[in-house]
Amino acid sequence: MEELVLDSGVRKIAIKNEDGDVITVVSINVADADTAERFGQIIHNLERISDDCEKEAATWKKEHMQQETENIDVETVLQSNRIRVKYLKQIVAEIDGLFGADTVKNVYGDFTPDETALVEFVEKIIPVMNKLFGKRYEMTRKRYNSGRKGARA
């Protein structure tokens, strides 16, 4: 029987904690043409999360507070946090959608990580993603280089 071995494009990335222990392994498909776009969208969304969150919180305060006071009540603080968490959960869902279900939960635990944690995750994985996609691009470029033997029919 003949065998055919194909590169599916799936690459695994070990995520370690500060002690050097592997806490989870995520998968990324470098053969998926949409992967780079989706990763770029996560970066873009993280960059704008603070602005969107502040705008929505300001709108809520404007609609629900009769007058500006120096004493902020507990409900105002809780509502501001609810708005923030809503945006953070959207980013978590995008990260999980790209790297696999429960990626963020496996890295940080069963809670919603703050912006600092999510930005750290993305910033640390950017060089790895660049390396993986760079290798894929280089392999494709070499494979279809018009100067190689057999490239012309």
Side-chain angles (χ1 to χ4, degrees):
M1 175 195 299
E2 297 295 321
E3 288 186 12
L4 180 65
V5 178
L6 298 174
D7 180 4
S8 66
V10 175
R11 302 294 182 267
K12 296 182 185 272
I13 304 167
I15 308 290
K16 296 180 179 184
N17 64 15
E18 58 277 354
D19 296 328
D21 301 324
V22 174
I23 53 176
T24 193
V25 176
V26 299
S27 296
I28 191 73
N29 191 338
V30 296
D32 180 351
D34 291 327
T35 298
E37 179 64 32
R38 290 171 45 210
F39 186 64
Q41 192 62 40
I42 290 170
I43 294 169
H44 173 74
N45 289 346
L46 270 173
E47 290 172 351
R48 72 180 173 102
I49 192 172
S50 206
D51 292 337
D52 290 350
C53 188
E54 286 176 21
K55 287 175 189 172
E56 189 171 332
T59 300
W60 183 89
K61 286 177 186 177
K62 193 179 216 180
E63 292 172 357
H64 293 87
M65 296 179 72
Q66 273 63 12
Q67 57 184 342
E68 195 67 32
T69 65
E70 290 185 21
N71 298 329
I72 297 176
D73 65 345
V74 172
E75 182 56 32
T76 302
V77 172
L78 290 175
Q79 184 59 29
S80 293
N81 191 61
R82 286 181 198 117
I83 292 167
R84 181 172 159 252
V85 168
K86 177 181 84 169
Y87 283 98
L88 292 170
K89 285 183 177 183
Q90 289 173 2
I91 299 296
V92 167
E94 291 179 26
I95 290 171
D96 285 351
L98 186 61
F99 294 103
D102 293 331
T103 294
V104 175
K105 180 180 176 182
N106 292 339
V107 172
Y108 293 105
D110 196 12
F111 63 90
T112 305
D114 64 8
E115 296 93 334
T116 303
L118 294 175
V119 166
E120 177 188 31
F121 177 85
V122 170
E123 284 180 345
K124 288 195 174 182
I125 208 157
I126 285 173
V128 176
M129 295 286 285
N130 285 341
K131 180 180 174 185
L132 292 175
F133 279 96
K135 283 182 181 176
R136 182 78 177 187
Y137 171 76
E138 188 61 28
M139 185 176 72
T140 302
R141 190 181 68 74
K142 284 180 181 176
R143 183 173 288 153
Y144 296 106
N145 182 345
S146 62
R148 75 179 176 94
K149 290 183 179 180
R152 295 185 188 133

